[in-house]
Amino acid sequence: MKKIGIALIIIGLLLTVMTGFVFNTKKKVVDLGSVEISRTDVHHVNWSPYAGVGIILVGGILLLVGGKKSI
């Protein structure tokens, strides 16, 4: 449980700092023999920094609960 908690804290920190990313896709619009027209679409993927804070909290709870041993 401790390893999962540490991993969640690291992932949460990354999600808090980096609130999104951008990627491009190329789409063929017209293809007439040797003539080809294409366009590049830009896609934005964003998330709230609160999601990262929530994941940090879950990781912290797992660290606290996972460290206790029951007899």
Short mmCIF file of all heavy atoms in Angstrom, two decimals:
data_model
loop_
_atom_site.label_atom_id
_atom_site.label_comp_id
_atom_site.label_asym_id
_atom_site.label_seq_id
_atom_site.Cartn_x
_atom_site.Cartn_y
_atom_site.Cartn_z
N MET A 1 0.82 -1.20 0.00
CA MET A 1 0.00 0.00 0.00
C MET A 1 0.86 1.25 0.00
O MET A 1 0.45 2.25 -0.56
CB MET A 1 -0.92 0.01 1.21
CG MET A 1 -2.07 -0.96 1.15
SD MET A 1 -3.21 -0.58 -0.12
CE MET A 1 -4.60 -0.09 0.80
N LYS A 2 2.03 1.17 0.63
CA LYS A 2 2.89 2.35 0.69
C LYS A 2 3.38 2.73 -0.70
O LYS A 2 3.42 3.92 -1.03
CB LYS A 2 4.09 2.10 1.60
CG LYS A 2 3.80 2.27 3.06
CD LYS A 2 5.08 2.22 3.85
CE LYS A 2 4.84 2.66 5.27
NZ LYS A 2 6.07 2.76 6.03
N LYS A 3 3.72 1.73 -1.52
CA LYS A 3 4.21 2.02 -2.87
C LYS A 3 3.13 2.67 -3.72
O LYS A 3 3.40 3.59 -4.47
CB LYS A 3 4.72 0.74 -3.54
CG LYS A 3 5.98 0.20 -2.92
CD LYS A 3 6.43 -1.06 -3.61
CE LYS A 3 7.65 -1.64 -2.91
NZ LYS A 3 8.10 -2.89 -3.55
N ILE A 4 1.90 2.19 -3.57
CA ILE A 4 0.79 2.78 -4.32
C ILE A 4 0.55 4.21 -3.85
O ILE A 4 0.31 5.11 -4.65
CB ILE A 4 -0.48 1.92 -4.15
CG1 ILE A 4 -0.27 0.55 -4.79
CG2 ILE A 4 -1.68 2.61 -4.76
CD1 ILE A 4 -1.38 -0.42 -4.53
N GLY A 5 0.63 4.45 -2.55
CA GLY A 5 0.45 5.80 -2.01
C GLY A 5 1.51 6.76 -2.51
O GLY A 5 1.20 7.89 -2.90
N ILE A 6 2.75 6.31 -2.54
CA ILE A 6 3.84 7.17 -3.04
C ILE A 6 3.64 7.45 -4.53
O ILE A 6 3.81 8.59 -4.98
CB ILE A 6 5.20 6.51 -2.76
CG1 ILE A 6 5.48 6.50 -1.26
CG2 ILE A 6 6.32 7.25 -3.50
CD1 ILE A 6 6.69 5.69 -0.86
N ALA A 7 3.25 6.42 -5.28
CA ALA A 7 3.01 6.62 -6.72
C ALA A 7 1.88 7.60 -6.95
O ALA A 7 1.96 8.47 -7.84
CB ALA A 7 2.71 5.28 -7.37
N LEU A 8 0.81 7.51 -6.17
CA LEU A 8 -0.31 8.44 -6.32
C LEU A 8 0.09 9.87 -5.96
O LEU A 8 -0.36 10.83 -6.60
CB LEU A 8 -1.49 7.99 -5.46
CG LEU A 8 -2.30 6.82 -6.00
CD1 LEU A 8 -3.38 6.44 -5.01
CD2 LEU A 8 -2.90 7.15 -7.34
N ILE A 9 0.93 10.03 -4.98
CA ILE A 9 1.39 11.38 -4.62
C ILE A 9 2.22 11.97 -5.75
O ILE A 9 2.05 13.14 -6.11
CB ILE A 9 2.18 11.35 -3.29
CG1 ILE A 9 1.23 11.06 -2.13
CG2 ILE A 9 2.92 12.66 -3.06
CD1 ILE A 9 1.91 10.85 -0.81
N ILE A 10 3.08 11.19 -6.34
CA ILE A 10 3.90 11.68 -7.46
C ILE A 10 3.02 12.03 -8.65
O ILE A 10 3.19 13.09 -9.28
CB ILE A 10 4.98 10.65 -7.82
CG1 ILE A 10 6.00 10.54 -6.69
CG2 ILE A 10 5.67 11.01 -9.14
CD1 ILE A 10 6.97 9.41 -6.84
N ILE A 11 2.07 11.15 -8.98
CA ILE A 11 1.16 11.42 -10.09
C ILE A 11 0.33 12.67 -9.81
O ILE A 11 0.11 13.51 -10.69
CB ILE A 11 0.26 10.20 -10.36
CG1 ILE A 11 1.10 9.06 -10.93
CG2 ILE A 11 -0.88 10.55 -11.30
CD1 ILE A 11 0.38 7.74 -11.00
N GLY A 12 -0.13 12.82 -8.57
CA GLY A 12 -0.90 14.00 -8.20
C GLY A 12 -0.10 15.28 -8.33
O GLY A 12 -0.62 16.31 -8.77
N LEU A 13 1.18 15.24 -7.94
CA LEU A 13 2.03 16.42 -8.11
C LEU A 13 2.19 16.78 -9.58
O LEU A 13 2.12 17.95 -9.96
CB LEU A 13 3.40 16.18 -7.48
CG LEU A 13 3.46 16.20 -5.96
CD1 LEU A 13 4.84 15.75 -5.48
CD2 LEU A 13 3.14 17.58 -5.44
N LEU A 14 2.38 15.77 -10.43
CA LEU A 14 2.51 16.04 -11.86
C LEU A 14 1.22 16.61 -12.44
O LEU A 14 1.25 17.54 -13.25
CB LEU A 14 2.89 14.75 -12.60
CG LEU A 14 4.31 14.25 -12.39
CD1 LEU A 14 4.50 12.90 -13.06
CD2 LEU A 14 5.31 15.25 -12.93
N LEU A 15 0.07 16.08 -12.03
CA LEU A 15 -1.20 16.59 -12.52
C LEU A 15 -1.49 18.00 -12.03
O LEU A 15 -2.15 18.77 -12.71
CB LEU A 15 -2.35 15.66 -12.11
CG LEU A 15 -2.41 14.32 -12.82
CD1 LEU A 15 -3.53 13.46 -12.24
CD2 LEU A 15 -2.62 14.51 -14.30
N THR A 16 -0.99 18.34 -10.86
CA THR A 16 -1.19 19.68 -10.33
C THR A 16 -0.34 20.70 -11.08
O THR A 16 -0.79 21.80 -11.38
CB THR A 16 -0.87 19.72 -8.83
OG1 THR A 16 -1.69 18.75 -8.16
CG2 THR A 16 -1.14 21.09 -8.23
N VAL A 17 0.89 20.32 -11.39
CA VAL A 17 1.81 21.23 -12.07
C VAL A 17 1.46 21.34 -13.56
O VAL A 17 1.40 22.42 -14.12
CB VAL A 17 3.27 20.78 -11.87
CG1 VAL A 17 4.22 21.61 -12.70
CG2 VAL A 17 3.63 20.86 -10.41
N MET A 18 1.26 20.19 -14.20
CA MET A 18 0.95 20.17 -15.62
C MET A 18 -0.56 20.00 -15.77
O MET A 18 -1.09 18.91 -15.59
CB MET A 18 1.67 19.01 -16.31
CG MET A 18 3.15 19.09 -16.24
SD MET A 18 3.96 17.63 -16.90
CE MET A 18 3.19 17.46 -18.48
N THR A 19 -1.26 21.06 -16.12
CA THR A 19 -2.72 21.01 -16.15
C THR A 19 -3.28 20.65 -17.52
O THR A 19 -4.45 20.87 -17.78
CB THR A 19 -3.31 22.35 -15.70
OG1 THR A 19 -2.82 23.37 -16.56
CG2 THR A 19 -2.95 22.65 -14.26
N GLY A 20 -2.46 20.10 -18.40
CA GLY A 20 -2.97 19.68 -19.70
C GLY A 20 -1.85 19.48 -20.69
O GLY A 20 -0.68 19.71 -20.40
N PHE A 21 -2.23 19.03 -21.90
CA PHE A 21 -1.28 18.89 -22.98
C PHE A 21 -1.99 19.07 -24.31
O PHE A 21 -3.23 19.08 -24.37
CB PHE A 21 -0.54 17.54 -22.92
CG PHE A 21 -1.43 16.33 -23.06
CD1 PHE A 21 -1.66 15.77 -24.29
CD2 PHE A 21 -2.02 15.76 -21.95
CE1 PHE A 21 -2.47 14.66 -24.42
CE2 PHE A 21 -2.82 14.65 -22.06
CZ PHE A 21 -3.05 14.10 -23.31
N VAL A 22 -1.21 19.23 -25.37
CA VAL A 22 -1.73 19.48 -26.71
C VAL A 22 -1.15 18.44 -27.65
O VAL A 22 0.02 18.10 -27.56
CB VAL A 22 -1.34 20.89 -27.19
CG1 VAL A 22 -1.82 21.16 -28.60
CG2 VAL A 22 -1.86 21.95 -26.25
N PHE A 23 -1.99 17.91 -28.56
CA PHE A 23 -1.47 17.03 -29.60
C PHE A 23 -2.15 17.35 -30.93
O PHE A 23 -3.24 17.92 -30.96
CB PHE A 23 -1.63 15.56 -29.22
CG PHE A 23 -3.06 15.08 -29.14
CD1 PHE A 23 -3.66 14.47 -30.22
CD2 PHE A 23 -3.78 15.22 -27.97
CE1 PHE A 23 -4.96 14.01 -30.15
CE2 PHE A 23 -5.08 14.78 -27.88
CZ PHE A 23 -5.67 14.17 -28.97
N ASN A 24 -1.46 17.03 -32.02
CA ASN A 24 -1.94 17.33 -33.36
C ASN A 24 -2.28 16.05 -34.10
O ASN A 24 -1.61 15.02 -33.94
CB ASN A 24 -0.87 18.07 -34.16
CG ASN A 24 -0.49 19.38 -33.52
OD1 ASN A 24 -1.32 20.06 -32.96
ND2 ASN A 24 0.77 19.73 -33.60
N THR A 25 -3.33 16.11 -34.93
CA THR A 25 -3.65 15.01 -35.82
C THR A 25 -3.76 15.56 -37.23
O THR A 25 -4.19 16.69 -37.44
CB THR A 25 -4.97 14.32 -35.44
OG1 THR A 25 -6.02 15.28 -35.44
CG2 THR A 25 -4.88 13.66 -34.09
N LYS A 26 -3.35 14.76 -38.19
CA LYS A 26 -3.41 15.15 -39.58
C LYS A 26 -4.58 14.42 -40.24
O LYS A 26 -4.70 13.21 -40.12
CB LYS A 26 -2.11 14.81 -40.29
CG LYS A 26 -1.93 15.47 -41.61
CD LYS A 26 -0.52 15.26 -42.12
CE LYS A 26 -0.31 16.08 -43.36
NZ LYS A 26 1.05 15.95 -43.87
N LYS A 27 -5.46 15.18 -40.93
CA LYS A 27 -6.65 14.60 -41.52
C LYS A 27 -6.68 14.90 -43.02
O LYS A 27 -6.46 16.04 -43.43
CB LYS A 27 -7.89 15.19 -40.84
CG LYS A 27 -9.20 14.65 -41.32
CD LYS A 27 -10.35 15.26 -40.55
CE LYS A 27 -11.66 14.68 -41.01
NZ LYS A 27 -12.77 15.29 -40.27
N LYS A 28 -6.92 13.87 -43.81
CA LYS A 28 -7.01 14.04 -45.26
C LYS A 28 -8.38 14.60 -45.59
O LYS A 28 -9.41 14.02 -45.25
CB LYS A 28 -6.79 12.71 -45.95
CG LYS A 28 -6.64 12.82 -47.44
CD LYS A 28 -6.51 11.48 -48.13
CE LYS A 28 -5.35 10.70 -47.60
NZ LYS A 28 -5.13 9.44 -48.33
N VAL A 29 -8.42 15.75 -46.29
CA VAL A 29 -9.67 16.39 -46.63
C VAL A 29 -10.08 16.02 -48.06
O VAL A 29 -11.21 15.63 -48.31
CB VAL A 29 -9.55 17.93 -46.48
CG1 VAL A 29 -10.84 18.60 -46.88
CG2 VAL A 29 -9.17 18.29 -45.06
N VAL A 30 -9.14 16.14 -49.02
CA VAL A 30 -9.42 15.85 -50.43
C VAL A 30 -8.30 14.98 -50.97
O VAL A 30 -7.13 15.23 -50.73
CB VAL A 30 -9.53 17.16 -51.25
CG1 VAL A 30 -9.73 16.84 -52.73
CG2 VAL A 30 -10.64 18.04 -50.74
N ASP A 31 -8.68 13.94 -51.74
CA ASP A 31 -7.70 13.09 -52.39
C ASP A 31 -8.17 12.83 -53.82
O ASP A 31 -9.04 12.01 -54.07
CB ASP A 31 -7.55 11.77 -51.63
CG ASP A 31 -6.41 10.93 -52.15
OD1 ASP A 31 -5.64 11.40 -53.00
OD2 ASP A 31 -6.30 9.77 -51.70
N LEU A 32 -7.62 13.60 -54.77
CA LEU A 32 -7.97 13.47 -56.18
C LEU A 32 -6.73 13.05 -56.97
O LEU A 32 -6.01 13.88 -57.51
CB LEU A 32 -8.50 14.79 -56.75
CG LEU A 32 -9.79 15.32 -56.13
CD1 LEU A 32 -10.09 16.72 -56.63
CD2 LEU A 32 -10.94 14.39 -56.47
N GLY A 33 -6.49 11.77 -57.03
CA GLY A 33 -5.33 11.27 -57.76
C GLY A 33 -4.04 11.73 -57.13
O GLY A 33 -3.70 11.35 -56.02
N SER A 34 -3.30 12.57 -57.86
CA SER A 34 -2.02 13.05 -57.34
C SER A 34 -2.16 14.30 -56.47
O SER A 34 -1.20 14.76 -55.88
CB SER A 34 -1.07 13.34 -58.50
OG SER A 34 -1.60 14.38 -59.32
N VAL A 35 -3.37 14.84 -56.40
CA VAL A 35 -3.62 16.03 -55.58
C VAL A 35 -4.20 15.58 -54.24
O VAL A 35 -5.21 14.88 -54.19
CB VAL A 35 -4.60 17.00 -56.28
CG1 VAL A 35 -4.90 18.18 -55.38
CG2 VAL A 35 -4.05 17.45 -57.61
N GLU A 36 -3.54 15.97 -53.19
CA GLU A 36 -4.01 15.62 -51.86
C GLU A 36 -4.00 16.86 -50.98
O GLU A 36 -3.00 17.56 -50.90
CB GLU A 36 -3.09 14.55 -51.25
CG GLU A 36 -3.53 14.10 -49.89
CD GLU A 36 -2.60 13.04 -49.32
OE1 GLU A 36 -2.38 12.02 -49.99
OE2 GLU A 36 -2.08 13.28 -48.21
N ILE A 37 -5.12 17.12 -50.34
CA ILE A 37 -5.23 18.27 -49.43
C ILE A 37 -5.50 17.71 -48.04
O ILE A 37 -6.41 16.90 -47.85
CB ILE A 37 -6.35 19.23 -49.86
CG1 ILE A 37 -6.09 19.77 -51.26
CG2 ILE A 37 -6.48 20.37 -48.85
CD1 ILE A 37 -7.23 20.60 -51.82
N SER A 38 -4.70 18.14 -47.09
CA SER A 38 -4.89 17.69 -45.71
C SER A 38 -4.82 18.89 -44.78
O SER A 38 -4.33 19.94 -45.14
CB SER A 38 -3.84 16.65 -45.32
OG SER A 38 -2.56 17.22 -45.41
N ARG A 39 -5.33 18.68 -43.59
CA ARG A 39 -5.27 19.74 -42.58
C ARG A 39 -4.81 19.13 -41.26
O ARG A 39 -4.98 17.95 -40.99
CB ARG A 39 -6.60 20.44 -42.42
CG ARG A 39 -7.64 19.62 -41.73
CD ARG A 39 -8.89 20.43 -41.49
NE ARG A 39 -9.76 19.69 -40.60
CZ ARG A 39 -11.03 19.88 -40.52
NH1 ARG A 39 -11.61 20.79 -41.26
NH2 ARG A 39 -11.76 19.16 -39.68
N THR A 40 -4.26 19.99 -40.43
CA THR A 40 -3.79 19.57 -39.11
C THR A 40 -4.76 20.12 -38.06
O THR A 40 -5.01 21.33 -38.00
CB THR A 40 -2.37 20.10 -38.85
OG1 THR A 40 -1.52 19.63 -39.88
CG2 THR A 40 -1.85 19.65 -37.52
N ASP A 41 -5.31 19.22 -37.27
CA ASP A 41 -6.20 19.61 -36.18
C ASP A 41 -5.41 19.62 -34.88
O ASP A 41 -4.66 18.69 -34.59
CB ASP A 41 -7.36 18.64 -36.05
CG ASP A 41 -8.32 18.72 -37.24
OD1 ASP A 41 -8.43 19.80 -37.83
OD2 ASP A 41 -8.95 17.69 -37.55
N VAL A 42 -5.61 20.65 -34.09
CA VAL A 42 -4.96 20.78 -32.78
C VAL A 42 -5.97 20.40 -31.71
O VAL A 42 -7.09 20.93 -31.69
CB VAL A 42 -4.44 22.22 -32.56
CG1 VAL A 42 -3.79 22.34 -31.21
CG2 VAL A 42 -3.48 22.62 -33.66
N HIS A 43 -5.61 19.47 -30.85
CA HIS A 43 -6.49 19.01 -29.77
C HIS A 43 -5.86 19.38 -28.43
O HIS A 43 -4.69 19.12 -28.20
CB HIS A 43 -6.67 17.50 -29.84
CG HIS A 43 -7.22 17.03 -31.16
ND1 HIS A 43 -8.54 17.12 -31.48
CD2 HIS A 43 -6.60 16.47 -32.23
CE1 HIS A 43 -8.72 16.63 -32.68
NE2 HIS A 43 -7.56 16.23 -33.17
N HIS A 44 -6.69 19.96 -27.57
CA HIS A 44 -6.25 20.33 -26.22
C HIS A 44 -6.91 19.40 -25.21
O HIS A 44 -8.11 19.19 -25.25
CB HIS A 44 -6.64 21.77 -25.90
CG HIS A 44 -6.04 22.78 -26.82
ND1 HIS A 44 -4.79 23.29 -26.64
CD2 HIS A 44 -6.51 23.35 -27.96
CE1 HIS A 44 -4.53 24.15 -27.59
NE2 HIS A 44 -5.56 24.20 -28.42
N VAL A 45 -6.12 18.84 -24.31
CA VAL A 45 -6.64 18.02 -23.21
C VAL A 45 -6.27 18.74 -21.91
O VAL A 45 -5.09 18.92 -21.61
CB VAL A 45 -6.04 16.60 -23.24
CG1 VAL A 45 -6.55 15.79 -22.07
CG2 VAL A 45 -6.34 15.92 -24.56
N ASN A 46 -7.28 19.18 -21.18
CA ASN A 46 -7.06 19.94 -19.95
C ASN A 46 -7.80 19.29 -18.79
O ASN A 46 -8.83 18.65 -18.97
CB ASN A 46 -7.56 21.38 -20.11
CG ASN A 46 -6.81 22.13 -21.18
OD1 ASN A 46 -5.60 22.03 -21.26
ND2 ASN A 46 -7.53 22.86 -22.00
N TRP A 47 -7.27 19.47 -17.60
CA TRP A 47 -7.94 19.03 -16.38
C TRP A 47 -7.68 20.05 -15.29
O TRP A 47 -6.77 20.87 -15.36
CB TRP A 47 -7.46 17.64 -15.95
CG TRP A 47 -5.98 17.52 -15.82
CD1 TRP A 47 -5.21 17.90 -14.77
CD2 TRP A 47 -5.08 17.01 -16.80
NE1 TRP A 47 -3.90 17.64 -15.03
CE2 TRP A 47 -3.78 17.10 -16.28
CE3 TRP A 47 -5.24 16.48 -18.09
CZ2 TRP A 47 -2.66 16.70 -17.00
CZ3 TRP A 47 -4.13 16.08 -18.78
CH2 TRP A 47 -2.86 16.18 -18.23
N SER A 48 -8.48 20.00 -14.28
CA SER A 48 -8.38 20.94 -13.17
C SER A 48 -7.23 20.55 -12.25
O SER A 48 -6.98 19.37 -12.01
CB SER A 48 -9.69 20.93 -12.38
OG SER A 48 -9.57 21.70 -11.22
N PRO A 49 -6.51 21.53 -11.72
CA PRO A 49 -5.46 21.20 -10.74
C PRO A 49 -6.04 20.58 -9.47
O PRO A 49 -5.33 19.91 -8.72
CB PRO A 49 -4.79 22.53 -10.44
CG PRO A 49 -5.55 23.57 -11.13
CD PRO A 49 -6.52 22.93 -12.05
N TYR A 50 -7.34 20.76 -9.24
CA TYR A 50 -7.96 20.15 -8.06
C TYR A 50 -7.96 18.63 -8.17
O TYR A 50 -7.97 17.94 -7.15
CB TYR A 50 -9.40 20.65 -7.89
CG TYR A 50 -9.47 22.13 -7.58
CD1 TYR A 50 -10.19 23.00 -8.38
CD2 TYR A 50 -8.79 22.65 -6.48
CE1 TYR A 50 -10.25 24.35 -8.11
CE2 TYR A 50 -8.85 24.01 -6.20
CZ TYR A 50 -9.58 24.85 -7.01
OH TYR A 50 -9.62 26.18 -6.73
N ALA A 51 -7.96 18.10 -9.38
CA ALA A 51 -7.87 16.64 -9.56
C ALA A 51 -6.53 16.13 -9.01
O ALA A 51 -6.47 15.10 -8.35
CB ALA A 51 -8.02 16.28 -11.03
N GLY A 52 -5.45 16.86 -9.29
CA GLY A 52 -4.14 16.48 -8.76
C GLY A 52 -4.10 16.56 -7.25
O GLY A 52 -3.53 15.69 -6.59
N VAL A 53 -4.72 17.58 -6.69
CA VAL A 53 -4.75 17.73 -5.22
C VAL A 53 -5.53 16.57 -4.61
O VAL A 53 -5.13 16.02 -3.58
CB VAL A 53 -5.35 19.09 -4.83
CG1 VAL A 53 -5.57 19.18 -3.33
CG2 VAL A 53 -4.46 20.23 -5.31
N GLY A 54 -6.63 16.18 -5.25
CA GLY A 54 -7.41 15.06 -4.74
C GLY A 54 -6.62 13.76 -4.76
O GLY A 54 -6.68 12.96 -3.83
N ILE A 55 -5.86 13.54 -5.84
CA ILE A 55 -5.05 12.33 -5.93
C ILE A 55 -3.93 12.35 -4.89
O ILE A 55 -3.58 11.32 -4.32
CB ILE A 55 -4.51 12.17 -7.37
CG1 ILE A 55 -5.68 11.87 -8.31
CG2 ILE A 55 -3.47 11.07 -7.45
CD1 ILE A 55 -5.31 11.82 -9.76
N ILE A 56 -3.36 13.53 -4.62
CA ILE A 56 -2.35 13.65 -3.57
C ILE A 56 -2.95 13.27 -2.22
O ILE A 56 -2.32 12.55 -1.42
CB ILE A 56 -1.77 15.08 -3.53
CG1 ILE A 56 -0.92 15.35 -4.76
CG2 ILE A 56 -0.93 15.30 -2.27
CD1 ILE A 56 -0.49 16.79 -4.92
N LEU A 57 -4.16 13.72 -1.95
CA LEU A 57 -4.82 13.40 -0.67
C LEU A 57 -5.08 11.90 -0.55
O LEU A 57 -4.86 11.31 0.52
CB LEU A 57 -6.13 14.18 -0.54
CG LEU A 57 -5.99 15.68 -0.31
CD1 LEU A 57 -7.36 16.35 -0.33
CD2 LEU A 57 -5.28 15.96 0.99
N VAL A 58 -5.54 11.27 -1.64
CA VAL A 58 -5.78 9.82 -1.61
C VAL A 58 -4.47 9.08 -1.36
O VAL A 58 -4.41 8.12 -0.58
CB VAL A 58 -6.46 9.35 -2.91
CG1 VAL A 58 -6.49 7.84 -3.00
CG2 VAL A 58 -7.86 9.93 -3.02
N GLY A 59 -3.39 9.51 -2.01
CA GLY A 59 -2.09 8.89 -1.79
C GLY A 59 -1.61 9.05 -0.37
O GLY A 59 -1.04 8.13 0.22
N GLY A 60 -1.85 10.23 0.21
CA GLY A 60 -1.47 10.45 1.61
C GLY A 60 -2.25 9.57 2.57
O GLY A 60 -1.70 9.03 3.53
N ILE A 61 -3.54 9.40 2.29
CA ILE A 61 -4.36 8.53 3.13
C ILE A 61 -3.87 7.08 3.03
O ILE A 61 -3.77 6.37 4.03
CB ILE A 61 -5.85 8.65 2.75
CG1 ILE A 61 -6.37 10.04 3.15
CG2 ILE A 61 -6.68 7.55 3.39
CD1 ILE A 61 -7.74 10.37 2.62
N LEU A 62 -3.53 6.64 1.81
CA LEU A 62 -3.00 5.28 1.65
C LEU A 62 -1.68 5.10 2.38
O LEU A 62 -1.41 4.03 2.93
CB LEU A 62 -2.83 4.95 0.17
CG LEU A 62 -4.11 4.61 -0.59
CD1 LEU A 62 -3.79 4.36 -2.06
CD2 LEU A 62 -4.79 3.41 0.01
N LEU A 63 -0.86 6.15 2.39
CA LEU A 63 0.40 6.05 3.13
C LEU A 63 0.15 5.91 4.63
O LEU A 63 0.81 5.11 5.30
CB LEU A 63 1.27 7.29 2.88
CG LEU A 63 2.22 7.25 1.71
CD1 LEU A 63 2.95 8.57 1.58
CD2 LEU A 63 3.21 6.12 1.86
N LEU A 64 -0.79 6.67 5.14
CA LEU A 64 -1.08 6.61 6.58
C LEU A 64 -1.73 5.29 6.98
O LEU A 64 -1.36 4.68 7.98
CB LEU A 64 -1.98 7.78 6.98
CG LEU A 64 -1.35 9.16 6.91
CD1 LEU A 64 -2.39 10.23 7.22
CD2 LEU A 64 -0.19 9.26 7.88
N VAL A 65 -2.68 4.84 6.20
CA VAL A 65 -3.41 3.60 6.53
C VAL A 65 -2.56 2.38 6.22
O VAL A 65 -2.57 1.40 6.95
CB VAL A 65 -4.74 3.56 5.77
CG1 VAL A 65 -5.44 2.22 5.95
CG2 VAL A 65 -5.65 4.68 6.22
N GLY A 66 -1.81 2.42 5.14
CA GLY A 66 -1.02 1.27 4.73
C GLY A 66 0.19 1.02 5.60
O GLY A 66 0.73 -0.09 5.62
N GLY A 67 0.62 2.00 6.37
CA GLY A 67 1.79 1.83 7.22
C GLY A 67 1.50 1.13 8.52
O GLY A 67 2.41 0.63 9.17
N LYS A 68 0.24 1.06 8.92
CA LYS A 68 -0.11 0.42 10.20
C LYS A 68 -0.25 -1.08 10.00
O LYS A 68 -0.86 -1.55 9.05
CB LYS A 68 -1.43 1.00 10.72
CG LYS A 68 -1.33 2.47 11.04
CD LYS A 68 -2.65 3.00 11.53
CE LYS A 68 -2.55 4.48 11.81
NZ LYS A 68 -3.83 5.04 12.21
N LYS A 69 0.30 -1.84 10.94
CA LYS A 69 0.18 -3.30 10.89
C LYS A 69 -0.80 -3.74 11.96
O LYS A 69 -0.78 -3.25 13.09
CB LYS A 69 1.54 -3.96 11.13
CG LYS A 69 2.52 -3.72 10.03
CD LYS A 69 3.78 -4.52 10.27
CE LYS A 69 4.73 -4.33 9.12
NZ LYS A 69 5.92 -5.14 9.25
N SER A 70 -1.66 -4.66 11.59
CA SER A 70 -2.62 -5.18 12.57
C SER A 70 -2.09 -6.47 13.17
O SER A 70 -1.41 -7.25 12.54
CB SER A 70 -3.97 -5.43 11.90
OG SER A 70 -3.83 -6.37 10.87
N ILE A 71 -2.40 -6.67 14.44
CA ILE A 71 -1.90 -7.86 15.16
C ILE A 71 -2.94 -8.93 15.16
O ILE A 71 -4.07 -8.82 15.24
CB ILE A 71 -1.47 -7.50 16.59
CG1 ILE A 71 -0.36 -6.49 16.51
CG2 ILE A 71 -1.07 -8.72 17.35
CD1 ILE A 71 0.09 -5.98 17.85
#
